[in-house]
Amino acid sequence: MFAPTSLATILVLASVVALGPLSTDMYLPALPSLVDELNSSIDQVQITLSIFFGGFAVAQLVYGPLADRFGRKSILLGGLVLFTLASFGCAMATTIEELIAYRFLQALGACGGPVLGRTMIRDIYGPTQSAKVLSMMGTIMALAPAIAPIIGGYMLLSLNWAAIFVFLGVYGAITTLLIGLKVSESLAPENVSSLHPKAIFANYKTLFSSPVFLGYTLCCSFTFSGLFSFLSGSSFVLIDFFGVPEDHYGFYFTAVVLGYMSGTQIGQRIGPRLGINRMLLLGTLLAAIAGSAMMGASLLGLHNLYWVIFCQVLFMAAVGIVMPQSTAGAMSPFAKMAGTASALLGFTQSAIAAGVGMVVGHTYSGTPTVMATSIALMGFLALLSFIFIVRPATAQQ
């Protein structure tokens, strides 16, 4: 077994937290081609993305209470097995309806990674150090989605879209073995909570009635939804509108991910000195500015590929600042229900993102305007959540 505080443990937990981004980012270059390959429409292909986040959101409400009662490791292993099997199912799909169904099952398994990976970090490092470790994990984790679209693009050209899901299935099998053989249980016996429905609903009520939890969760959710706006629209905007070759899409996406990594590095280095709230003000303000700059140019008809990427890099830097800090802030007061808190945060984040992604997909106009407007709106909502909910709530503590 790896030591709980070792770098090896952080790397393994980062690999399971990355299941969500990998499951979306790797097959983004294939979205336009799936329209022809599976005899479907843009709307139907977009559903394979949104249904993933819908399943991802709902399942988290189950993972959290189960992990608080039975431990993190066994529940995480169950999710990883389901993810692995569903990934191979996606690879064998012959119709868009089958792919949508398997994507939903894949999401049910994948969501255990982010929920329980974050929870285990909270268990191991406590409320004060978890923000720094989550930022470090974010930097490590970002390496996977940075190269995922590049790998996906080349797989698409040299093999086919199904090979992408075979890769994900193999990845799921490897992470299952690592968690099972090398990572120990992190739930302390004194923090085991009841699985009785009344206790579960009481915990959810406690969390949702806490302005601190709600404010941090909304900051996290809106910035993540701005990222998901880009995920939903970028392959069509970059490949169909700007004419980027499918195998080059991943390079542009990597630039965007590097923005996220720079944000997590900023949080890791100066976050402990400035504190969570100052970092959130910096991050949400940057998100609002970057989104507005992209939207403004698009509304004026100034469609430029490099400006879109530049603005999204800045937005992703904001995401890298906001998400680890707001996650730590939301979970820190709730040691005895850390799994439930992580699940509810993840549910809210994924549910809002799924809704935003559907809107972007269904209203896509053939230009970057809808995507850019959505990104700007999410940035402003994150900033307003900080100003009007987080700051007043934490000032009273």
Side-chain angles (χ1 to χ4, degrees):
M1 288 288 181
F2 296 138
T5 56
S6 68
L7 177 61
T9 296
I10 294 176
L11 288 171
V12 174
L13 292 178
S15 72
V16 296
V17 173
L19 283 178
L22 276 176
S23 301
T24 54
D25 300 348
M26 182 164 277
Y27 93 122
L28 287 177
L31 289 181
S33 64
L34 283 175
V35 175
D36 295 325
E37 292 277 350
L38 296 179
N39 193 26
S40 57
S41 65
I42 291 178
D43 285 354
Q44 288 177 309
V45 169
Q46 286 282 4
I47 289 174
T48 67
L49 202 57
S50 295
I51 197 70
F52 183 89
F53 274 88
F56 206 85
V58 172
Q60 294 186 65
L61 297 178
V62 178
Y63 274 97
L66 287 176
D68 283 340
R69 174 63 182 85
F70 297 111
R72 322 306 191 195
K73 183 173 176 177
S74 59
I75 304 303
L76 177 55
L77 285 172
L80 289 172
V81 170
L82 177 57
F83 171 83
T84 300
L85 295 175
S87 295
F88 288 123
C90 289
M92 294 185 289
T94 57
T95 67
I96 191 65
E97 290 78 14
E98 288 180 6
L99 182 58
I100 289 170
Y102 280 120
R103 283 286 288 171
F104 181 75
L105 293 175
Q106 189 188 39
L108 298 185
C111 79
V115 171
L116 302 181
R118 290 192 303 252
T119 304
M120 293 174 82
I121 290 296
R122 171 61 179 79
D123 291 341
I124 294 167
Y125 290 95
T128 56
Q129 289 296 314
S130 57
K132 180 179 179 180
V133 177
L134 285 168
S135 292
M136 182 192 306
M137 179 185 283
T139 303
I140 298 168
M141 187 186 75
L143 294 174
I147 63 173
I150 297 175
I151 296 172
Y154 281 107
M155 279 186 172
L156 187 62
L157 289 180
S158 58
L159 298 169
N160 55 36
W161 64 268
I164 295 170
F165 290 104
V166 172
F167 178 93
L168 291 172
V170 173
Y171 181 92
I174 293 171
T175 54
T176 301
L177 290 174
L178 287 172
I179 291 293
L181 299 176
K182 293 297 186 180
V183 178
S184 56
E185 176 57 57
S186 65
L187 177 64
E190 64 270 19
N191 286 338
V192 172
S193 64
S194 172
L195 200 60
H196 193 282
K198 285 187 177 179
I200 294 173
F201 285 118
N203 286 343
Y204 281 136
K205 182 179 179 182
T206 297
L207 292 167
F208 257 139
S209 62
S210 166
V212 173
F213 177 84
L214 184 61
Y216 284 126
T217 296
L218 289 177
C219 284
C220 184
S221 299
F222 287 132
T223 51
F224 179 76
S225 296
L227 158 62
F228 197 67
S229 299
F230 182 77
L231 294 181
S232 297
S234 63
S235 56
F236 296 98
V237 169
L238 268 63
I239 295 172
D240 288 348
F241 181 73
F242 286 117
V244 172
E246 291 174 337
D247 56 328
H248 290 180
Y249 170 85
F251 293 106
Y252 291 97
F253 195 87
T254 297
V256 171
V257 174
L258 290 175
Y260 174 81
M261 293 176 68
S262 68
T264 61
Q265 280 291 301
I266 291 169
Q268 184 181 339
R269 292 178 182 278
I270 69 173
R273 295 200 302 272
L274 294 184
I276 289 176
N277 281 5
R278 287 182 180 177
M279 292 301 297
L280 281 183
L281 176 58
L282 171 64
T284 55
L285 186 60
L286 179 59
I289 292 171
S292 298
M294 189 192 300
M295 179 184 69
S298 190
L299 289 175
L300 291 172
L302 304 174
H303 301 305
N304 182 277
L305 170 62
Y306 299 106
W307 180 251
V308 169
I309 296 299
F310 173 72
C311 291
Q312 189 61 28
V313 167
L314 293 181
F315 189 92
M316 287 297 289
V319 175
I321 293 171
V322 170
M323 286 189 65
Q325 304 295 324
S326 56
T327 297
M331 294 174 60
S332 62
F334 305 104
K336 291 186 180 297
M337 58 176 93
T340 302
S342 178
L344 190 56
L345 184 152
F347 167 79
T348 306
Q349 170 184 303
S350 299
I352 294 175
V356 169
M358 280 189 143
V359 170
V360 172
H362 283 281
T363 57
Y364 174 63
S365 62
T367 72
T369 302
V370 170
M371 181 185 77
T373 301
S374 178
I375 292 169
L377 178 61
M378 294 303 106
F380 271 110
L381 288 175
L383 178 61
L384 292 176
S385 296
F386 172 78
I387 293 173
F388 293 108
I389 304 178
V390 171
R391 194 163 60 179
T394 52
Q396 297 173 5
Q397 293 182 333

